[in-house]
Amino acid sequence: MENAANALKMAGEFLIFVLAVSIIILAFGQTRESADIILDYRDRETAYINGNYYYGETGKTRVVNLETIVPAIFRAYLENYKIVFDGLNSPIYKIKNKNGIEIDKFVLDLETNQDKEYNNVVLGTDEQKAEFIRGVLYGDFDDNDVSAFQRKYRISLSGCVPIYEQLKNAVGRGYVIEEYLGVYYQNDNPNVPDVMKTEKRIITYKVRN
């Protein structure tokens, strides 16, 4: 009887062990599933391209609004990708190239601020990047001093209109803004293997009626 009781006890402990292991496996499975769902829905205003967020497959388009565009603009410098505006009536800002010729800019791109072709200031810190974006996006300058902003970043805002104002006015006139998504390689040299190149994400916002 004692042996039978011990056997039953061992069998019961084994069943409890199996049950506990099953519960743990189920819990981990649910945790993984929940994590996948969270990752899948992270930033609902963005999408995938080759496993990277913020972009859909090259060639995909969608109509977007200001609530989508503004966060993307702030990410442009902080996360180093390019935003191109197509269809604006005024440039975002103007910058002189090495020959002293003033160029109208319709692109937000950290690469531009590192290009020796332009006589501008390299945006080295996140604070500088955020300040620059606020200036060209909203016309928001420290102490409302636009002249100091232009001198600091060696750009001109003469004849330029803040991005937000231009897009808001376009939407108010019944225009739509389409988002085109893709990637490209910085310094795309055919003699350099792709694995040695820097892949860069790009968003184009096209304003059309």
Side-chain angles (χ1 to χ4, degrees), residues 10-59:
M10 291 176 63
E13 290 174 348
F14 180 74
L15 288 174
I16 292 173
F17 173 76
V18 171
L19 179 62
V21 171
S22 300
I23 292 173
I24 291 172
I25 293 174
L26 179 62
F28 273 110
Q30 290 176 336
T31 301
R32 176 60 184 274
E33 183 179 355
S34 298
D36 290 341
I37 292 172
I38 291 171
L39 288 174
D40 186 50
Y41 282 87
R42 185 184 68 175
D43 194 350
R44 293 300 301 273
E45 297 299 341
T46 61
Y48 268 125
I49 183 166
N50 299 328
N52 295 318
Y53 278 99
Y54 313 136
Y55 300 87
E57 295 179 1
T58 303

Side-chain angles (χ1 to χ4, degrees), residues 11-114:
E13 290 174 348
F14 180 74
L15 288 174
I16 292 173
F17 173 76
V18 171
L19 179 62
V21 171
S22 300
I23 292 173
I24 291 172
I25 293 174
L26 179 62
F28 273 110
Q30 290 176 336
T31 301
R32 176 60 184 274
E33 183 179 355
S34 298
D36 290 341
I37 292 172
I38 291 171
L39 288 174
D40 186 50
Y41 282 87
R42 185 184 68 175
D43 194 350
R44 293 300 301 273
E45 297 299 341
T46 61
Y48 268 125
I49 183 166
N50 299 328
N52 295 318
Y53 278 99
Y54 313 136
Y55 300 87
E57 295 179 1
T58 303
K60 294 281 186 175
T61 65
R62 61 173 179 168
V63 175
V64 295
N65 53 29
L66 290 170
E67 287 73 18
T68 298
I69 299 171
V70 171
I73 290 174
F74 274 97
R75 285 200 299 261
Y77 281 106
L78 299 179
E79 301 185 18
N80 189 24
Y81 60 86
K82 176 181 284 190
I83 294 184
V84 178
F85 295 94
D86 182 6
L88 296 184
N89 294 324
S90 303
I92 299 170
Y93 63 95
K94 299 177 182 179
I95 191 169
K96 289 184 179 180
N97 63 17
K98 60 184 179 181
N99 297 318
I101 300 174
E102 204 166 63
I103 308 297
D104 291 346
K105 299 296 293 183
F106 294 86
V107 175
L108 288 175
D109 182 13
L110 184 60
E111 190 177 351
T112 298
N113 293 86
Q114 297 172 337

Side-chain angles (χ1 to χ4, degrees), residues 149-192:
F149 180 86
Q150 293 177 106
R151 289 194 302 271
K152 181 175 182 178
Y153 294 106
R154 298 178 191 166
I155 65 171
S156 171
L157 295 177
S158 176
C160 301
V161 178
I163 301 169
Y164 186 86
E165 184 177 338
Q166 292 198 61
L167 296 179
K168 184 177 180 180
N169 290 339
V171 172
R173 296 195 304 269
Y175 284 61
V176 298
I177 305 171
E178 291 181 335
E179 180 185 69
Y180 296 77
L181 311 160
V183 294
Y184 75 102
Y185 289 107
Q186 287 185 219
N187 303 319
D188 193 9
N189 187 332
N191 298 320
V192 178

